Amino acid sequence: MKKAIVSAMLLAVVMVACTPKASPSVTEATIPTESAVSKSSATISAGQTIFTTKCTRCHGQKPVEKWTYEELRPVLASMVKKAKLDKTETEQVSAYVYSRAKK
Ligand code: HEC
């Protein structure tokens, strides 16, 4: 019985350890669509903090108002991966970018 539990736990650990390559792969689908992106001011302001800190490690604040949100979604997907943002941070920064994007 104990052995079964240990095996199950070991299996779980192995599965978790082996998935990271596949699971955090951020694709365009990870970025909320225009209709799904949060419009809450609290989320937008949390996103602004991420945009001005984590998103400026490699470059300055990008002029996102030059592009529409739909044009930015694939860019965001690759940038979120570069900045190693988690799901919540991704939603927040997307909300901020949406709020500033060309309408
Ligand atoms: C690991 C480095 C890195 C991080 C972190 C990063 N970027 Fe970038 N980003 C780049 C590079 C490299 C380019 C392409 C060269 C350039 O435009 O400076 C780029 C370009 C861009 C562009 C312009 C795309 C275009 O078509 O010209 C935008 C917008 C952008 N990043 C937004 C972001 C946002 C938002 C974040 C935070 C979620 C972020 N970046 C985090 C490296 C990074």
Side-chain angles (χ1 to χ4, degrees):
M1 194 54 201
K2 249 200 169 139
K3 216 171 166 187
I5 293 169
V6 171
S7 312
M9 280 170 66
L10 210 72
L11 185 68
V13 167
V14 169
M15 279 167 71
V16 168
C18 294
T19 22
K21 275 216 174 79
S23 69
S25 77
V26 181
T27 65
E28 202 180 326
T30 319
I31 309 300
T33 59
E34 199 163 332
S35 56
V37 74
S38 170
K39 276 94 181 169
S40 119
S41 55
T43 310
I44 292 169
S45 109
Q48 180 172 20
T49 305
I50 295 163
F51 189 81
T52 54
T53 55
K54 299 197 173 186
C55 294
T56 50
R57 220 181 73 223
C58 309
H59 48 62
Q61 291 184 40
K62 288 287 178 184
V64 290
E65 52 285 333
K66 266 175 44 190
W67 300 280
T68 65
Y69 184 67
E70 272 316 300
E71 287 165 343
L72 284 163
R73 281 183 66 229
V75 178
L76 269 179
S78 90
M79 294 301 144
V80 154
K81 204 182 329 185
K82 287 187 202 292
K84 300 189 168 64
L85 304 186
D86 65 23
K87 191 168 181 284
T88 306
E89 292 171 322
T90 300
E91 282 166 12
Q92 292 167 338
V93 87
S94 300
Y96 176 70
V97 167
Y98 173 76
S99 77
R100 280 193 44 203
K102 188 160 90 186
K103 297 293 185 305

XYZ file of all heavy atoms in Angstrom:
819
model
N 0.849 -1.213 0.000
C 0.000 0.000 0.000
C 0.881 1.258 0.000
O 0.770 2.131 -0.836
C -0.912 -0.045 1.234
C -2.046 0.970 1.170
S -3.011 0.795 -0.376
C -3.754 2.392 -0.462
N 1.804 1.297 0.976
C 2.714 2.444 1.068
C 3.514 2.602 -0.222
O 3.725 3.713 -0.711
C 3.684 2.229 2.232
C 3.428 3.203 3.371
C 4.634 3.324 4.251
C 4.470 4.472 5.209
N 4.965 4.126 6.543
N 3.898 1.440 -0.742
C 4.700 1.433 -1.967
C 3.923 2.071 -3.125
O 4.490 2.817 -3.934
C 5.062 -0.016 -2.309
C 6.450 -0.127 -2.896
C 6.848 -1.574 -3.022
C 8.061 -1.706 -3.901
N 8.360 -3.125 -4.153
N 2.619 1.755 -3.148
C 1.774 2.287 -4.230
C 1.710 3.807 -4.141
O 1.765 4.510 -5.151
C 0.378 1.682 -4.148
N 1.599 4.295 -2.905
C 1.522 5.752 -2.712
C 2.826 6.410 -3.150
O 2.830 7.410 -3.873
C 1.190 6.086 -1.232
C -0.234 5.599 -0.913
C 1.325 7.580 -0.960
C -0.586 5.636 0.548
N 3.927 5.789 -2.720
C 5.241 6.330 -3.090
C 5.407 6.317 -4.610
O 5.845 7.304 -5.206
C 6.377 5.540 -2.387
C 7.732 5.961 -2.946
C 6.328 5.766 -0.884
N 4.988 5.238 -5.236
C 5.101 5.161 -6.697
C 4.254 6.226 -7.367
O 4.687 6.862 -8.335
C 4.647 3.787 -7.210
O 5.230 2.777 -6.463
N 3.066 6.432 -6.837
C 2.168 7.424 -7.417
C 2.789 8.816 -7.292
O 2.741 9.626 -8.221
C 0.809 7.378 -6.716
N 3.390 9.071 -6.121
C 4.007 10.381 -5.915
C 5.200 10.572 -6.840
O 5.395 11.634 -7.418
C 4.454 10.524 -4.451
C 3.301 10.883 -3.540
S 3.750 10.773 -1.813
C 4.937 12.086 -1.688
N 5.969 9.505 -6.976
C 7.139 9.551 -7.836
C 6.719 9.828 -9.280
O 7.310 10.648 -9.973
C 7.864 8.202 -7.752
C 9.372 8.308 -7.955
C 10.006 8.968 -6.735
C 9.965 6.935 -8.180
N 5.639 9.158 -9.679
C 5.132 9.333 -11.031
C 4.709 10.791 -11.241
O 5.016 11.406 -12.264
C 3.940 8.383 -11.261
C 3.393 8.374 -12.687
C 4.419 7.762 -13.637
C 2.089 7.589 -12.757
N 4.042 11.342 -10.214
C 3.579 12.726 -10.304
C 4.776 13.664 -10.451
O 4.761 14.578 -11.277
C 2.757 13.084 -9.067
N 5.815 13.402 -9.657
C 7.010 14.258 -9.702
C 7.663 14.178 -11.080
O 8.020 15.188 -11.676
C 8.010 13.845 -8.585
C 9.375 14.498 -8.813
C 7.463 14.205 -7.213
N 7.756 12.960 -11.588
C 8.374 12.771 -12.896
C 7.566 13.499 -13.964
O 8.112 14.188 -14.821
C 8.519 11.260 -13.229
C 8.903 11.056 -14.691
C 9.561 10.623 -12.313
N 6.246 13.374 -13.857
C 5.396 14.017 -14.856
C 5.541 15.538 -14.815
O 5.651 16.195 -15.846
C 3.926 13.630 -14.647
C 3.607 12.270 -15.242
S 2.022 11.655 -14.688
C 0.940 12.750 -15.574
N 5.565 16.072 -13.586
C 5.709 17.520 -13.437
C 7.081 17.957 -13.949
O 7.205 18.939 -14.666
C 5.491 17.944 -11.956
C 5.916 19.388 -11.749
C 4.044 17.735 -11.565
N 8.100 17.177 -13.601
C 9.456 17.524 -13.998
C 9.654 17.450 -15.499
O 10.476 18.161 -16.062
C 10.450 16.607 -13.279
N 8.902 16.616 -16.139
C 9.100 16.436 -17.576
C 8.225 17.334 -18.437
O 8.491 17.473 -19.615
C 8.874 14.981 -17.967
S 10.113 13.901 -17.241
N 7.185 17.904 -17.849
C 6.297 18.733 -18.669
C 6.769 20.166 -18.904
O 6.421 20.717 -19.931
C 4.843 18.743 -18.148
O 4.858 18.397 -16.782
C 3.967 17.795 -18.940
N 7.514 20.806 -17.955
C 7.793 22.230 -18.156
C 8.117 22.659 -19.574
O 7.701 23.730 -19.983
C 8.967 22.512 -17.222
C 8.734 21.604 -16.095
C 8.091 20.367 -16.703
N 8.816 21.831 -20.319
C 9.156 22.210 -21.688
C 7.899 22.452 -22.515
O 7.840 23.394 -23.272
C 10.000 21.122 -22.338
C 11.460 21.286 -21.999
C 12.335 20.889 -23.177
C 13.790 21.186 -22.922
N 14.415 20.172 -22.073
N 6.917 21.573 -22.311
C 5.707 21.693 -23.114
C 4.732 22.715 -22.538
O 4.235 23.553 -23.266
C 5.023 20.343 -23.233
N 4.503 22.682 -21.212
C 3.430 23.513 -20.673
C 3.640 25.029 -20.679
O 2.720 25.733 -21.051
C 2.999 23.015 -19.303
O 4.006 23.251 -18.372
N 4.819 25.580 -20.269
C 4.845 27.040 -20.284
C 5.052 27.610 -21.682
O 5.352 28.778 -21.813
C 5.999 27.407 -19.357
C 6.739 26.171 -19.091
C 6.122 25.064 -19.873
N 4.915 26.807 -22.698
C 5.086 27.353 -24.029
C 3.952 28.343 -24.272
O 2.781 27.986 -24.305
C 5.098 26.257 -25.083
O 3.796 25.815 -25.310
N 4.336 29.599 -24.357
C 3.363 30.659 -24.523
C 3.093 30.820 -26.013
O 4.010 31.020 -26.792
C 3.903 31.982 -23.940
C 2.895 33.088 -24.080
C 4.285 31.788 -22.485
N 1.849 30.707 -26.388
C 1.494 30.930 -27.785
C 0.528 32.107 -27.819
O 0.106 32.606 -26.783
C 0.794 29.701 -28.384
O -0.451 29.536 -27.712
C 1.638 28.453 -28.250
N 0.161 32.504 -29.016
C -0.765 33.616 -29.152
C -2.063 33.322 -28.395
O -2.708 34.234 -27.876
C -1.029 33.861 -30.630
C -1.522 35.251 -30.893
C -1.783 35.492 -32.374
O -1.054 34.930 -33.196
O -2.725 36.251 -32.656
N -2.414 32.045 -28.311
C -3.655 31.654 -27.632
C -3.616 31.946 -26.134
O -4.653 32.034 -25.485
C -3.934 30.187 -27.882
N -2.392 32.094 -25.584
C -2.246 32.392 -24.159
C -2.633 33.837 -23.856
O -3.003 34.172 -22.740
C -0.762 32.191 -23.741
O -0.263 31.021 -24.377
C -0.616 32.081 -22.246
N -2.526 34.688 -24.846
C -2.818 36.108 -24.656
C -4.324 36.327 -24.812
O -4.892 35.948 -25.831
C -2.042 36.967 -25.702
C -0.537 36.613 -25.714
C -2.247 38.459 -25.466
C 0.189 36.813 -24.402
N -4.971 36.917 -23.796
C -6.430 37.100 -23.892
C -6.819 37.865 -25.161
O -6.099 38.774 -25.574
C -6.785 37.920 -22.644
C -5.582 37.964 -21.791
C -4.409 37.472 -22.566
N -7.919 37.465 -25.757
C -8.395 38.167 -26.949
C -8.946 39.532 -26.537
O -9.194 39.782 -25.351
C -9.517 37.385 -27.649
O -10.581 37.231 -26.711
C -9.041 36.026 -28.124
N -9.191 40.367 -27.516
C -9.706 41.703 -27.269
C -10.973 41.683 -26.413
O -11.153 42.515 -25.534
C -9.981 42.352 -28.632
C -10.067 43.834 -28.557
C -9.927 44.482 -29.942
O -9.275 43.898 -30.838
O -10.475 45.578 -30.105
N -11.850 40.712 -26.659
C -13.098 40.681 -25.889
C -12.893 40.092 -24.500
O -13.643 40.385 -23.571
C -14.183 39.932 -26.646
O -13.738 38.641 -26.969
N -11.851 39.254 -24.338
C -11.637 38.596 -23.052
C -10.700 39.379 -22.131
O -10.707 39.175 -20.921
C -11.077 37.195 -23.276
N -9.915 40.277 -22.705
C -8.910 40.973 -21.893
C -9.596 41.838 -20.824
O -10.671 42.396 -21.058
C -7.963 41.808 -22.803
C -8.625 43.054 -23.344
C -6.680 42.161 -22.075
N -8.985 41.890 -19.642
C -9.589 42.636 -18.547
C -9.582 44.139 -18.823
O -8.605 44.684 -19.320
C -8.823 42.356 -17.252
O -9.252 43.231 -16.243
N -10.703 44.787 -18.505
C -10.786 46.236 -18.661
C -10.826 46.901 -17.283
O -11.140 48.081 -17.150
C -12.030 46.632 -19.468
C -11.852 46.567 -20.987
C -12.298 45.243 -21.555
C -12.121 45.131 -23.060
N -12.321 43.738 -23.510
N -10.536 46.139 -16.241
C -10.590 46.691 -14.890
C -9.376 47.572 -14.640
O -8.249 47.242 -15.025
C -10.649 45.544 -13.869
O -9.537 45.575 -13.016
N -9.614 48.721 -14.009
C -8.511 49.663 -13.831
C -7.458 49.112 -12.876
O -6.277 49.415 -13.025
C -9.032 51.012 -13.356
O -9.788 50.850 -12.197
N -7.852 48.260 -11.933
C -6.875 47.671 -11.019
C -5.938 46.733 -11.783
O -4.717 46.736 -11.559
C -7.588 46.912 -9.907
N -6.507 45.957 -12.702
C -5.691 45.033 -13.494
C -4.774 45.817 -14.415
O -3.585 45.502 -14.557
C -6.603 44.093 -14.314
O -7.576 43.535 -13.443
C -5.808 42.969 -14.966
N -5.316 46.871 -15.033
C -4.522 47.704 -15.934
C -3.355 48.332 -15.181
O -2.225 48.344 -15.653
C -5.411 48.787 -16.599
C -6.406 48.114 -17.554
C -4.567 49.840 -17.322
C -7.506 49.013 -18.086
N -3.623 48.799 -13.968
C -2.543 49.459 -13.246
C -1.486 48.457 -12.762
O -0.292 48.768 -12.759
C -3.107 50.373 -12.163
O -2.881 49.878 -10.897
N -1.914 47.242 -12.428
C -0.929 46.196 -12.093
C -0.094 45.884 -13.329
O 1.124 45.678 -13.250
C -1.637 44.943 -11.600
N -0.748 45.887 -14.499
C -0.058 45.619 -15.751
C 0.949 46.697 -16.088
O 2.016 46.420 -16.634
N 0.608 47.938 -15.733
C 1.525 49.052 -16.001
C 2.833 48.864 -15.230
O 3.920 49.119 -15.741
C 0.878 50.380 -15.614
C 1.803 51.561 -15.876
C 1.119 52.901 -15.694
O 0.093 52.996 -15.041
N 1.694 53.935 -16.276
N 2.696 48.385 -13.987
C 3.884 48.131 -13.163
C 4.780 47.084 -13.832
O 5.997 47.256 -13.903
C 3.454 47.652 -11.762
O 2.569 48.623 -11.231
C 4.647 47.471 -10.848
N 4.156 46.025 -14.352
C 4.935 44.985 -15.023
C 5.590 45.559 -16.281
O 6.767 45.346 -16.546
C 4.027 43.786 -15.377
C 3.525 43.128 -14.087
C 4.769 42.770 -16.255
C 2.334 42.225 -14.274
N 4.796 46.329 -17.023
C 5.287 46.919 -18.274
C 6.500 47.811 -18.026
O 7.451 47.820 -18.803
C 4.155 47.724 -18.929
C 4.456 48.207 -20.316
C 4.314 47.356 -21.410
C 4.875 49.510 -20.541
C 4.594 47.793 -22.701
C 5.152 49.958 -21.828
C 5.004 49.100 -22.905
N 6.468 48.564 -16.938
C 7.564 49.506 -16.685
C 8.727 48.869 -15.922
O 9.750 49.514 -15.739
C 7.061 50.736 -15.889
O 6.416 50.278 -14.707
C 6.086 51.557 -16.712
N 8.549 47.643 -15.460
C 9.662 46.991 -14.757
C 10.146 45.782 -15.550
O 11.185 45.837 -16.195
C 9.267 46.582 -13.319
O 8.098 45.758 -13.359
C 9.015 47.791 -12.454
N 9.344 44.715 -15.579
C 9.791 43.474 -16.229
C 9.914 43.586 -17.741
O 10.663 42.831 -18.346
C 8.821 42.340 -15.885
C 8.771 42.074 -14.388
C 8.156 40.731 -14.081
C 8.275 40.422 -12.599
N 7.826 39.084 -12.249
N 9.164 44.461 -18.368
C 9.198 44.562 -19.826
C 10.264 45.522 -20.303
O 10.417 45.718 -21.502
C 7.838 44.988 -20.368
S 6.566 43.747 -20.093
N 10.992 46.133 -19.407
C 12.001 47.104 -19.837
C 13.411 46.585 -19.564
O 14.368 47.342 -19.620
C 11.787 48.454 -19.111
O 11.677 48.199 -17.709
C 10.531 49.143 -19.599
N 13.501 45.298 -19.272
C 14.806 44.717 -19.001
C 15.668 44.721 -20.267
O 16.875 44.901 -20.190
C 14.608 43.279 -18.504
C 15.539 42.899 -17.372
C 15.300 41.465 -16.941
N 15.811 40.540 -17.917
C 15.161 39.443 -18.329
N 13.980 39.143 -17.823
N 15.695 38.658 -19.221
N 15.040 44.505 -21.416
C 15.812 44.404 -22.658
C 15.686 45.630 -23.544
O 16.504 45.855 -24.411
C 15.368 43.193 -23.463
S 15.333 41.678 -22.506
N 14.616 46.367 -23.361
C 14.405 47.552 -24.210
C 13.596 48.563 -23.424
O 13.063 48.246 -22.371
C 13.707 47.174 -25.521
C 12.496 46.298 -25.350
N 11.377 46.676 -24.659
C 12.246 45.043 -25.785
C 10.491 45.696 -24.687
N 10.996 44.681 -25.350
N 13.483 49.768 -23.955
C 12.684 50.783 -23.279
C 11.205 50.445 -23.370
O 10.838 49.384 -23.878
N 10.367 51.332 -22.879
C 8.927 51.124 -22.984
C 8.541 51.253 -24.455
O 8.698 52.314 -25.044
C 8.181 52.153 -22.147
C 8.364 51.945 -20.654
C 7.526 52.922 -19.843
O 6.382 53.210 -20.181
N 8.099 53.434 -18.775
N 8.063 50.155 -25.009
C 7.715 50.154 -26.430
C 6.461 51.000 -26.662
O 5.535 50.986 -25.860
C 7.480 48.726 -26.905
C 8.757 47.915 -27.008
C 9.569 48.347 -28.193
C 10.879 47.572 -28.287
N 11.713 48.073 -29.390
N 6.433 51.735 -27.777
C 5.274 52.597 -28.064
C 4.093 51.756 -28.555
O 3.782 51.733 -29.738
C 5.802 53.524 -29.155
C 6.877 52.731 -29.833
C 7.440 51.780 -28.834
N 3.443 51.058 -27.633
C 2.395 50.112 -28.034
C 1.195 50.789 -28.706
O 0.450 50.137 -29.418
C 1.921 49.222 -26.857
C 3.007 48.236 -26.447
C 1.496 50.045 -25.668
N 1.063 52.111 -28.517
C -0.061 52.810 -29.154
C 0.092 52.880 -30.683
O -0.834 53.278 -31.376
C -0.280 54.210 -28.544
C 0.933 55.134 -28.463
C 1.926 54.783 -27.361
O 1.523 54.182 -26.343
O 3.120 55.090 -27.518
N 1.254 52.465 -31.167
C 1.477 52.436 -32.612
C 0.752 51.283 -33.295
O 0.567 51.278 -34.497
C 2.981 52.261 -32.896
C 3.694 53.568 -33.092
C 5.206 53.420 -33.255
C 5.687 52.299 -34.171
N 7.171 52.127 -34.048
N 0.402 50.263 -32.496
C -0.218 49.060 -33.056
C -1.589 48.814 -32.438
O -1.859 49.282 -31.333
C 0.650 47.831 -32.767
C 2.033 47.869 -33.314
C 2.409 47.604 -34.599
C 3.257 48.155 -32.603
N 3.784 47.701 -34.730
C 4.326 48.037 -33.523
C 3.567 48.498 -31.283
C 5.659 48.253 -33.170
C 4.896 48.704 -30.930
C 5.919 48.595 -31.863
N -2.418 48.058 -33.151
C -3.686 47.641 -32.549
C -3.397 46.437 -31.652
O -2.354 45.787 -31.788
C -4.706 47.211 -33.621
O -4.204 46.049 -34.271
C -4.964 48.319 -34.639
N -4.332 46.161 -30.746
C -4.137 45.044 -29.832
C -4.007 43.728 -30.597
O -3.185 42.880 -30.234
C -5.295 44.995 -28.832
C -5.136 43.931 -27.775
C -4.139 44.020 -26.815
C -5.996 42.833 -27.743
C -3.987 43.035 -25.849
C -5.856 41.850 -26.776
C -4.851 41.947 -25.834
O -4.705 40.975 -24.884
N -4.799 43.579 -31.663
C -4.714 42.347 -32.459
C -3.324 42.180 -33.069
O -2.804 41.077 -33.147
C -5.798 42.304 -33.547
C -7.120 41.701 -33.082
C -6.965 40.413 -32.234
O -6.397 39.436 -32.755
O -7.396 40.398 -31.078
N -2.717 43.278 -33.488
C -1.359 43.214 -34.032
C -0.352 42.894 -32.929
O 0.678 42.280 -33.177
C -0.981 44.560 -34.678
C -1.675 44.815 -36.000
C -1.611 46.272 -36.469
O -1.323 47.172 -35.644
O -1.866 46.497 -37.650
N -0.663 43.317 -31.721
C 0.274 43.137 -30.616
C 0.205 41.759 -29.967
O 1.159 41.350 -29.317
C 0.024 44.207 -29.542
C 0.544 45.601 -29.886
C -0.093 46.646 -28.980
C 2.072 45.666 -29.774
N -0.910 41.063 -30.146
C -1.044 39.765 -29.450
C 0.093 38.780 -29.755
O 0.672 38.222 -28.821
C -2.419 39.145 -29.697
C -3.493 39.792 -28.803
C -4.852 39.138 -28.975
N -4.852 37.777 -28.505
C -5.330 36.737 -29.196
N -5.840 36.914 -30.384
N -5.301 35.533 -28.676
N 0.471 38.582 -31.028
C 1.592 37.664 -31.275
C 2.902 38.190 -30.684
O 3.721 37.407 -30.208
C 1.670 37.564 -32.801
C 0.737 38.594 -33.344
C -0.189 39.014 -32.259
N 3.084 39.515 -30.702
C 4.284 40.116 -30.120
C 4.279 39.856 -28.607
O 5.275 39.430 -28.021
C 4.330 41.643 -30.384
C 5.544 42.284 -29.733
C 4.307 41.933 -31.874
N 3.113 40.095 -27.991
C 2.979 39.871 -26.557
C 3.309 38.438 -26.187
O 3.978 38.189 -25.179
C 1.544 40.185 -26.109
C 1.276 41.612 -25.656
C -0.189 41.755 -25.269
C 2.173 41.985 -24.471
N 2.840 37.500 -27.013
C 3.107 36.097 -26.723
C 4.604 35.861 -26.617
O 5.077 35.235 -25.662
C 2.486 35.209 -27.794
N 5.374 36.410 -27.564
C 6.806 36.161 -27.491
C 7.458 36.972 -26.372
O 8.401 36.509 -25.740
C 7.459 36.367 -28.857
O 7.870 37.681 -29.020
N 6.944 38.146 -26.069
C 7.531 38.987 -25.014
C 7.237 38.438 -23.616
O 8.077 38.508 -22.724
C 7.001 40.415 -25.131
C 7.451 41.108 -26.386
S 9.241 41.169 -26.471
C 9.466 40.968 -28.221
N 6.036 37.899 -23.444
C 5.654 37.306 -22.159
C 6.582 36.135 -21.834
O 6.989 35.933 -20.702
C 4.159 36.881 -22.228
C 3.837 35.762 -21.272
C 3.275 38.090 -21.981
N 6.929 35.416 -22.891
C 7.851 34.298 -22.731
C 9.234 34.818 -22.339
O 9.862 34.318 -21.410
C 7.919 33.513 -24.045
C 8.339 32.087 -23.823
C 8.475 31.235 -25.061
C 7.583 31.526 -26.228
N 7.694 30.579 -27.330
N 9.685 35.858 -23.020
C 10.998 36.438 -22.717
C 11.039 36.970 -21.286
O 12.035 36.835 -20.595
C 11.306 37.609 -23.660
C 11.650 37.223 -25.080
C 12.100 38.507 -25.800
C 11.989 38.446 -27.311
N 12.944 37.504 -27.902
N 9.942 37.617 -20.864
C 9.918 38.227 -19.536
C 9.559 37.191 -18.465
O 9.515 37.522 -17.280
C 8.935 39.390 -19.503
N 9.275 35.964 -18.878
C 8.926 34.866 -17.968
C 7.777 35.236 -17.026
O 7.853 35.056 -15.819
C 10.151 34.435 -17.158
C 11.301 33.954 -18.019
C 12.396 33.346 -17.156
C 13.424 32.589 -17.969
N 14.191 33.438 -18.910
N 6.718 35.776 -17.585
C 5.568 36.172 -16.768
C 4.681 34.968 -16.484
O 4.570 34.073 -17.314
C 4.746 37.250 -17.482
C 5.480 38.530 -17.894
C 4.491 39.540 -18.442
C 6.260 39.131 -16.727
N 4.036 34.961 -15.307
C 3.083 33.893 -15.026
C 1.720 34.289 -15.612
O 1.578 35.348 -16.232
C 3.030 33.564 -13.524
C 2.497 34.709 -12.679
O 1.765 35.578 -13.218
O 2.805 34.750 -11.478
N 0.723 33.436 -15.368
C -0.577 33.642 -15.998
C -1.222 34.970 -15.572
O -1.728 35.718 -16.403
C -1.485 32.456 -15.627
C -2.766 32.388 -16.407
C -3.448 31.034 -16.189
C -4.736 30.935 -16.985
N -5.835 31.717 -16.359
N -1.158 35.257 -14.277
C -1.761 36.487 -13.764
C -1.061 37.711 -14.344
O -1.699 38.654 -14.809
C -1.679 36.514 -12.224
O -2.259 35.309 -11.746
C -2.399 37.701 -11.637
N 0.278 37.665 -14.333
C 1.040 38.795 -14.873
C 0.756 38.985 -16.359
O 0.699 40.126 -16.846
C 2.546 38.553 -14.665
C 2.977 38.588 -13.215
C 4.418 38.139 -13.024
O 4.865 37.195 -13.715
O 5.115 38.719 -12.188
N 0.572 37.875 -17.068
C 0.258 37.935 -18.493
C -1.071 38.641 -18.706
O -1.207 39.514 -19.572
C 0.211 36.509 -19.091
O 1.480 35.904 -18.897
C -0.130 36.530 -20.575
N -2.062 38.290 -17.877
C -3.372 38.933 -17.995
C -3.280 40.419 -17.687
O -3.901 41.251 -18.349
C -4.374 38.252 -17.041
C -4.881 36.936 -17.608
C -5.592 36.059 -16.583
O -5.898 36.562 -15.468
O -5.833 34.886 -16.900
N -2.480 40.742 -16.667
C -2.343 42.144 -16.268
C -1.638 42.972 -17.336
O -2.108 44.048 -17.705
C -1.589 42.218 -14.926
C -2.420 41.653 -13.789
C -1.623 41.415 -12.524
O -0.403 41.280 -12.543
N -2.312 41.335 -11.392
N -0.525 42.457 -17.837
C 0.209 43.240 -18.829
C -0.599 43.342 -20.129
O -0.575 44.377 -20.804
C 1.655 42.695 -19.036
C 1.729 41.598 -20.076
C 2.606 43.824 -19.408
N -1.371 42.301 -20.442
C -2.232 42.348 -21.631
C -3.289 43.436 -21.464
O -3.589 44.174 -22.417
C -2.927 41.003 -21.863
O -1.977 39.985 -22.042
N -3.852 43.537 -20.261
C -4.874 44.556 -19.991
C -4.288 45.948 -20.177
O -4.912 46.830 -20.772
C -5.413 44.388 -18.566
N -3.050 46.120 -19.699
C -2.399 47.426 -19.836
C -2.117 47.740 -21.303
O -2.401 48.846 -21.780
C -1.099 47.466 -19.017
C -0.349 48.753 -19.215
C -0.848 49.953 -18.699
C 0.831 48.793 -19.958
C -0.188 51.154 -18.916
C 1.500 49.983 -20.175
C 0.986 51.159 -19.650
O 1.633 52.340 -19.880
N -1.571 46.761 -22.003
C -1.256 46.972 -23.420
C -2.543 47.255 -24.206
O -2.584 48.162 -25.035
C -0.480 45.753 -23.987
C -0.415 45.787 -25.511
C 0.939 45.722 -23.407
N -3.602 46.514 -23.891
C -4.881 46.760 -24.576
C -5.348 48.200 -24.336
O -5.795 48.885 -25.250
C -5.954 45.767 -24.115
C -7.309 46.103 -24.685
C -7.602 45.814 -26.018
C -8.274 46.756 -23.920
C -8.819 46.165 -26.570
C -9.497 47.106 -24.461
C -9.766 46.813 -25.793
O -10.966 47.164 -26.339
N -5.204 48.656 -23.089
C -5.692 49.997 -22.749
C -4.946 51.081 -23.516
O -5.477 52.162 -23.742
C -5.600 50.242 -21.237
O -4.260 50.526 -20.862
N -3.700 50.781 -23.896
C -2.911 51.785 -24.608
C -2.837 51.582 -26.113
O -2.393 52.487 -26.835
C -1.481 51.790 -24.040
C -1.388 52.577 -22.746
C 0.037 52.849 -22.352
N 0.882 53.273 -23.456
C 2.208 53.149 -23.462
N 2.823 52.599 -22.444
N 2.917 53.575 -24.480
N -3.213 50.396 -26.574
C -3.070 50.083 -27.995
C -3.946 50.980 -28.854
O -4.934 51.548 -28.369
C -3.403 48.619 -28.232
N -3.580 51.062 -30.132
C -4.354 51.840 -31.104
C -5.751 51.243 -31.200
O -5.918 50.046 -31.281
C -3.640 51.757 -32.467
C -4.206 52.667 -33.512
C -3.191 52.877 -34.614
C -3.341 51.828 -35.717
N -2.264 51.944 -36.714
N -6.761 52.096 -31.159
C -8.135 51.581 -31.204
C -8.695 51.750 -32.614
O -8.345 52.653 -33.320
C -9.038 52.313 -30.208
C -8.647 52.133 -28.746
C -8.851 50.690 -28.294
C -8.594 50.475 -26.801
N -7.295 50.899 -26.309
C 14.534 39.066 -22.773
C 14.417 40.372 -23.405
C 13.033 40.978 -23.576
C 12.049 41.130 -22.636
C 12.075 40.732 -21.152
C 10.943 41.798 -23.313
N 11.252 42.063 -24.604
Fe 10.102 43.066 -25.974
N 11.565 42.834 -27.369
C 12.770 42.180 -27.189
C 13.523 42.205 -28.437
C 14.906 41.585 -28.639
C 12.705 42.892 -29.381
C 13.019 43.190 -30.846
C 14.035 44.273 -30.949
C 13.508 45.582 -30.452
O 12.484 46.050 -30.991
O 14.096 46.151 -29.501
C 11.487 43.294 -28.670
C 10.455 44.014 -29.248
C 9.270 44.386 -28.613
C 8.185 45.118 -29.227
C 8.190 45.689 -30.640
C 7.768 44.657 -31.648
C 7.866 45.210 -33.063
O 7.139 44.653 -33.922
O 8.621 46.147 -33.303
C 7.208 45.255 -28.296
C 5.857 45.938 -28.456
C 7.683 44.612 -27.085
N 8.949 44.100 -27.308
C 6.966 44.538 -25.918
C 7.405 43.876 -24.765
C 6.585 43.673 -23.592
C 5.152 44.165 -23.413
C 7.347 42.974 -22.690
C 6.922 42.467 -21.321
C 5.854 41.478 -21.300
C 8.663 42.745 -23.309
N 8.646 43.304 -24.561
C 9.734 42.111 -22.689
C 13.225 41.630 -26.013
C 12.538 41.576 -24.811
